[in-house]
Amino acid sequence: MPSISQQLSKELNAQVSQIDSAVKLLDDGSTVPFIARYRKEATGGLDDTQLRTLEQRLSYLRDMEDRRRVILKSIEDQGKLTAELQKDILDADNKTLLEDLYLPYRPKRRTKGQIAIEAGIEPLADLLFSQPNTDPEVAAQDFLNPEKNFSDTKAVLEGAKYILMERFAEDAKLLEKVRKHLKREAHLTSTLVKGEAESGAKYRDYFEHSEPVRSIPSHRALAMFRGRNEGVLQLNIDPAPEQEETSKSSVCEKMIADHVGLSFDGAKADTWLKSVVQWTWKVKVALHLETEILGEMKEKSELEAINVFSKNLKDLLMSAPAGARPTLGLDPGLRTGVKVAVVDDTGKLQATSTIFPHAPQNHWDKSIRVLANLCKQYKIELVAIGNGTASRETDKLVGELMKDNPDLQLTKVMVSEAGASVYSASEFAANEFPDLDVSLRGAVSIARRLQDPLAELVKIEPKSIGVGQYQHDVNQSDLAKSLDAIVEDCVNAVGVDVNMASAPLLARVSGLNKTLANNIVAYRDEHGRFQNRQLFKKVTRLGPKAFEQAAGFLKISNGDNPLDASAVHPESYNVVKQIVGDHDIQVDQVIGNSEFLRKLDPKSYVTNDVGLPTVTDIISELDKPGRDPRPEFKTARFDEAVSTIQDLKPGLILEGVVSNVTNFGAFVDVGVHQDGLVHISSLTDKFVSDPHEVVKAGDIVKVKVLDVDLGRKRISFTMRMDEASQQSSPKEGRSSQPKQKQRSSQQKSRKDNAMNSAMSSAFAEAFAKAKK
């Protein structure tokens, strides 16, 4: 049996020594961001993605090893562990196969087969199986046992049947053979639950639908699982979709018969043996494998949904910050007014207000005067407008403000307010603004997330940010773990100014947690700003390990040591000291001095403790210290003449912002309060297997309106400007037996467009709720 390290080495295409080093570091409490950045020599340069995969698979494989030991001990204690069985168990490379092998030996409730064995009927089962020319009725006479409730031949033969059924159904090799067939050839079918057509109208494309198990996309699978959970759909595995209804089971029944060596050539027991095979399939194997395959499909679909959410979250967190500039945040509303918050260039709240420019109050001119005064008083440069209800009306208000006051030189930006209400009602917001109305806290969040999306969004539970795909249907523990990892990677990739960061942001730094983050803030409040990284050691409970893991990611601007503002780890300061000492130059003269740094030979500074990758990274960091990996800040310009879905017409070309990316396309916000879908086939002229190859959340794109369905508030866009617009919605649905093999990949995408577009309404409904 390969070791865990050997198996991970093969999966990650890395050396066993790299795996062993990474595993040791993880076991010693090092975080993935720390290992990826500061322990490249040990791991041979494994990046954060590889390390995350390693971390996940390591947990799975270790759990499997623990389970393997338990199974071996259990079978050995029963006195049934043969050399062949032990080898099979040791060779099993996944949990499913492991459990299949254990199935005949797993302690279980008394079954009908066991009861029959206890009544002495097993020899009859063996006789009929090995000598099918035996007459079942005659042979059964010798096994009557009224005391055990086997008082007639019918009961005896029934008992013998269950003995063989259970024996066949617990054959690991047979289960694997049938399982492979089902995964390769079977279809997932969904049908409408009687009487649920009206309540489940959004699932109508799945009322009578069939699709190959091997190729069903995760988003369609999750849509069907959601329909089942809501009591609208019934899901089944069809083992032979090409067969007539009366013979659908024959394929798998033949596989069972062939595997156990039954030929059915006219022997006396053949009719009885056929019923054994039929019952084995229908009662035991079919139900077992259907449950397993549906469970595995759901698990894989959930994993894909989590991956989609993770990609979108990373793109959103790593979107361009507008920077440290005084900002006016507006949380739009109609009857309740527009909430206003002013924050300075550090994000500190300066002033709040509520204006009522829209119906029913219509204090338009007064609202402009209030905003103008605030902008002048606090030297506002940016205006962040939440993209919820009344956002376009508020955007128009700000446009008029800018027109009437050209001296203000304002830049207005529409900002996603997804999760702002979650932040407003959070414990952190209540502690930060105890005397501020909840509704006004949202305006503060909107302003700050324009200045620095990452710093503000870390205050919100990741799954509340609303850039996922069926995030409420997946395993919430796995989702939280994955999203937390993404947040951690993003925060540490950018780094944190320790003198300005909030506790939630600090808590995401490598090696820190909520307690240590609060302790850092408390120390900062009591003693003033940190002047150097060594002061971190004075923070309560921040020990040597936490310092090692966190110090390189915590930056200090204008401190005692210019290196503290960089990503150079304190453990490597001696390398810089040697560099400046060799050339009789000061550290601040080296930082940013590309001409000098390019002349350095990294190999000259390699020691037993510091390898070439670390030296190379140090020199690169000195060249561009504290470089922000996020892109340059840009803004989308929404068409002033388009503010509602009614303003959209086929053929209209607009600029918008990608709000979400799914497996079937990208949703784009053009400022009409309803995101439109660019189907995967309309993203580009080339074939695309993953929309993330073309766009990511936060991208500014140009789209053309293909179709508008006002009744269902559904918008279809294209990014292919030569694609013909539609005058009506495409025909929905598709054949229950799609001839995929006869179409090109691009044609298949076209055929799927109608179904995905229809299915996206259910997704968009959940997405809209998440954005709120």
Side-chain angles (χ1 to χ4, degrees):
M1 180 183 68
S3 68
I4 288 178
S5 292
Q6 289 172 325
Q7 189 161 342
L8 289 172
S9 169
K10 184 177 180 180
E11 291 179 12
L12 295 174
N13 193 27
Q15 299 295 321
V16 172
S17 59
Q18 293 175 272
I19 302 298
D20 287 339
S21 295
V23 169
K24 185 177 186 304
L25 286 164
L26 288 169
D27 287 344
D28 288 343
S30 293
T31 67
V32 166
F34 175 80
I35 298 171
R37 181 173 292 188
Y38 297 116
R39 292 295 180 263
K40 290 181 179 177
E41 288 94 336
T43 68
L46 293 178
D47 61 29
D48 54 355
T49 301
Q50 290 173 303
L51 289 167
R52 289 290 179 200
T53 303
L54 185 152
E55 186 179 39
Q56 182 181 26
R57 289 291 293 155
L58 178 64
S59 176
Y60 176 91
L61 293 173
R62 282 178 168 172
D63 286 346
M64 190 166 75
E65 286 309 301
D66 291 342
R67 182 61 177 158
R68 197 192 310 270
R69 282 191 288 270
V70 169
I71 288 173
L72 284 170
K73 186 176 186 308
S74 175
I75 300 175
E76 187 175 28
D77 290 347
Q78 296 174 44
K80 299 178 180 178
L81 185 62
T82 64
E84 182 181 1
L85 178 59
Q86 182 177 25
K87 182 179 184 303
D88 288 342
I89 290 172
L90 290 174
D91 287 344
D93 59 0
N94 61 77
K95 292 180 180 178
T96 300
L97 179 55
L98 201 57
E99 295 301 332
D100 280 353
L101 292 167
Y102 185 43
L103 190 59
Y105 311 97
R106 181 187 291 121
K108 57 178 80 75
R109 292 179 301 174
R110 289 174 74 236
T111 64
K112 291 182 178 180
Q114 287 173 328
I115 293 171
I117 291 173
E118 292 169 4
I121 298 175
E122 188 170 23
L124 173 63
D126 292 336
L127 175 67
L128 296 175
F129 176 68
S130 60
Q131 299 180 36
N133 273 319
T134 304
D135 188 315
E137 290 288 340
V138 174
Q141 293 288 340
D142 297 334
F143 294 89
L144 296 175
N145 189 343
E147 294 181 2
K148 297 287 187 179
N149 294 321
F150 291 93
S151 55
D152 55 40
T153 57
K154 180 180 179 182
V156 170
L157 290 173
E158 188 84 354
K161 177 187 291 186
Y162 272 98
I163 291 172
L164 291 182
M165 283 169 57
E166 290 172 17
R167 185 183 299 173
F168 296 164
E170 292 176 350
D171 185 327
K173 292 181 179 178
L174 171 61
L175 289 176
E176 184 61 19
K177 189 180 295 184
V178 179
R179 181 185 291 114
K180 284 183 177 178
H181 165 78
L182 293 177
K183 288 183 177 180
R184 184 178 61 249
E185 303 296 339
H187 279 208
L188 172 64
T189 66
S190 67
T191 54
L192 175 68
V193 173
K194 188 176 180 180
E196 297 295 329
E198 186 175 346
S199 62
K202 62 185 177 183
Y203 297 108
R204 62 181 172 275
D205 293 284
Y206 301 105
F207 286 178
E208 189 176 346
H209 177 68
S210 177
E211 191 162 2
V213 165
R214 68 178 183 276
S215 60
I216 182 169
S218 64
H219 54 275
R220 286 214 285 273
L222 287 175
M224 284 187 270
F225 281 120
R226 177 184 284 182
R228 183 181 68 172
N229 292 342
E230 294 180 9
V232 177
L233 302 177
Q234 181 176 341
L235 303 185
N236 296 102
I237 298 296
D238 183 346
E242 304 301 326
Q243 298 269 350
E244 293 295 329
E245 195 64 37
T246 54
S247 59
K248 280 187 179 298
S249 299
S250 62
V251 173
C252 293
E253 289 171 8
K254 187 175 186 306
M255 290 177 69
I256 294 172
D258 289 345
H259 180 81
V260 299
L262 294 175
S263 57
F264 305 129
D265 51 6
K268 293 179 180 178
D270 277 0
T271 300
W272 182 82
L273 287 169
K274 281 183 180 180
S275 72
V276 171
V277 171
Q278 289 170 351
W279 279 55
T280 299
W281 164 245
K282 293 178 181 178
V283 177
K284 294 289 185 180
V285 178
L287 292 176
H288 170 70
L289 290 183
E290 179 172 275
T291 300
E292 178 189 303
I293 289 172
L294 287 176
E296 184 178 303
M297 183 186 300
K298 189 172 190 297
E299 185 178 336
K300 286 184 177 180
S301 298
E302 287 184 359
L303 179 60
E304 181 60 28
I306 290 172
N307 288 337
V308 168
F309 197 147
S310 298
K311 289 178 183 178
N312 286 336
L313 180 64
K314 182 177 181 179
D315 292 339
L316 187 61
L317 293 176
M318 296 298 284
S319 58
R325 300 160 68 182
T327 303
L328 183 74
L330 301 177
D331 188 358
L334 294 172
R335 182 182 56 81
T336 57
V338 177
K339 307 303 185 293
V340 183
V342 175
V343 298
D344 65 14
D345 56 359
T346 68
K348 184 177 180 181
L349 180 62
Q350 300 294 305
T352 62
S353 182
T354 301
I355 56 178
F356 298 89
H358 314 308
Q361 292 90 340
N362 294 315
H363 298 162
W364 187 267
D365 293 337
K366 180 180 178 181
S367 297
I368 289 179
R369 288 196 299 272
V370 171
L371 295 181
N373 290 335
L374 288 172
C375 289
K376 291 173 183 176
Q377 182 180 353
Y378 294 100
K379 297 181 172 55
I380 297 298
E381 297 179 21
L382 299 170
V383 180
I385 306 167
N387 68 342
T389 303
S391 60
R392 288 312 300 269
E393 294 88 341
T394 305
D395 180 68
K396 184 178 180 181
L397 178 78
V398 176
E400 194 164 320
L401 166 70
M402 295 167 63
K403 183 178 179 181
D404 293 346
N405 299 271
D407 55 310
L408 291 178
Q409 297 185 338
L410 301 173
T411 298
K412 63 182 174 76
V413 183
M414 197 73 76
V415 176
S416 170
E417 49 181 64
S421 60
V422 176
Y423 162 77
S424 301
S426 69
E427 180 183 355
F428 177 78
N431 292 335
E432 187 177 15
F433 303 113
D435 301 322
L436 193 64
D437 185 84
V438 172
S439 60
L440 288 168
R441 294 173 191 166
V444 178
S445 179
I446 289 168
R448 286 175 171 176
R449 66 176 63 187
L450 177 59
Q451 293 177 323
D452 190 336
L454 177 61
E456 189 61 22
L457 290 173
V458 294
K459 301 173 185 177
I460 303 169
E461 187 180 15
K463 68 179 181 181
S464 298
I465 295 176
V467 289
Q469 174 183 317
Y470 292 99
Q471 63 264 34
H472 301 294
D473 298 330
V474 305
N475 183 295
Q476 295 302 295
S477 176
D478 291 344
L479 175 64
K481 190 181 298 183
S482 177
L483 298 185
D484 284 345
I486 290 295
V487 175
E488 183 182 33
D489 288 343
C490 291
V491 168
N492 290 286
V494 174
V496 170
D497 186 331
V498 73
N499 287 314
M500 292 181 62
S502 65
L505 183 59
L506 289 167
R508 299 291 189 167
V509 172
S510 167
L512 302 184
N513 54 33
K514 185 176 180 180
T515 299
L516 288 176
N518 287 330
N519 290 348
I520 289 174
V521 173
Y523 183 94
R524 192 174 68 195
D525 291 343
E526 181 179 353
H527 301 282
R529 56 181 280 114
F530 289 92
Q531 291 298 327
N532 61 73
R533 281 171 165 164
Q534 294 306 312
L535 290 175
F536 299 159
K537 297 177 179 179
K538 294 188 176 183
V539 173
T540 303
R541 300 178 67 177
L542 201 157
K545 187 67 178 182
F547 178 84
E548 175 197 57
Q549 298 293 306
F553 302 104
L554 297 173
K555 300 177 183 179
I556 300 173
S557 302
N558 303 315
D560 298 337
N561 187 338
L563 291 178
D564 288 346
S566 73
V568 177
H569 198 284
E571 66 185 12
S572 299
Y573 282 6
N574 284 335
V575 176
V576 182
K577 187 176 180 180
Q578 185 180 350
I579 291 174
V580 298
D582 288 350
H583 296 84
D584 194 23
I585 192 173
Q586 299 298 313
V587 172
D588 56 1
Q589 293 175 298
V590 171
I591 294 176
N593 190 339
S594 300
E595 184 178 353
F596 168 79
L597 294 169
R598 278 198 295 267
K599 295 177 182 178
L600 295 177
D601 180 9
K603 296 178 183 177
S604 303
Y605 301 97
V606 173
T607 66
N608 291 333
D609 298 323
V610 183
L612 184 60
T614 295
V615 176
T616 302
D617 281 353
I618 290 171
I619 293 174
S620 176
E621 181 64 22
L622 290 174
D623 189 19
K624 295 180 179 178
R627 176 175 52 184
D628 194 323
R630 293 174 291 184
E632 181 183 355
F633 176 70
K634 295 179 180 178
T635 61
R637 294 184 178 276
F638 290 157
D639 191 325
E640 299 288 347
V642 177
S643 59
T644 69
I645 190 172
Q646 287 80 6
D647 296 326
L648 297 177
K649 305 296 179 188
L652 189 62
I653 296 176
L654 302 165
E655 189 169 82
V657 180
V658 176
S659 57
N660 201 7
V661 183
T662 69
N663 282 341
F664 52 84
F667 286 90
V668 178
D669 178 8
V670 295
V672 295
H673 310 304
Q674 179 67 45
D675 296 342
L677 175 67
V678 181
H679 184 258
I680 185 171
S681 62
S682 295
L683 288 170
T684 177
D685 289 328
K686 298 179 181 179
F687 172 75
V688 178
S689 59
D690 180 2
H692 288 91
E693 298 171 8
V694 182
V695 292
K696 63 180 184 295
D699 279 356
I700 298 171
V701 296
K702 279 193 175 181
V703 295
K704 183 169 72 171
V705 179
L706 282 180
D707 181 53
V708 182
D709 186 333
L710 295 178
R712 286 183 285 181
K713 293 185 177 180
R714 185 184 300 159
I715 308 166
S716 296
F717 291 134
T718 179
M719 288 170 54
R720 299 170 56 226
M721 295 301 124
D722 60 342
E723 186 170 356
S725 300
Q726 303 166 14
Q727 296 304 314
S728 60
S729 297
K731 183 179 180 181
E732 295 172 1
R734 64 177 182 176
S735 168
S736 61
Q737 301 291 337
K739 298 179 180 180
Q740 295 167 327
K741 295 181 181 179
Q742 299 177 14
R743 297 195 297 269
S744 68
S745 295
Q746 190 69 30
Q747 287 173 322
K748 178 180 179 297
S749 291
R750 295 291 182 195
K751 184 69 176 177
D752 287 345
N753 192 358
M755 174 160 288
N756 285 328
S757 178
M759 184 278 297
S760 71
S761 63
F763 168 74
E765 183 179 307
F767 176 46
K769 290 180 181 177
K771 288 180 72 176
K772 293 177 182 178

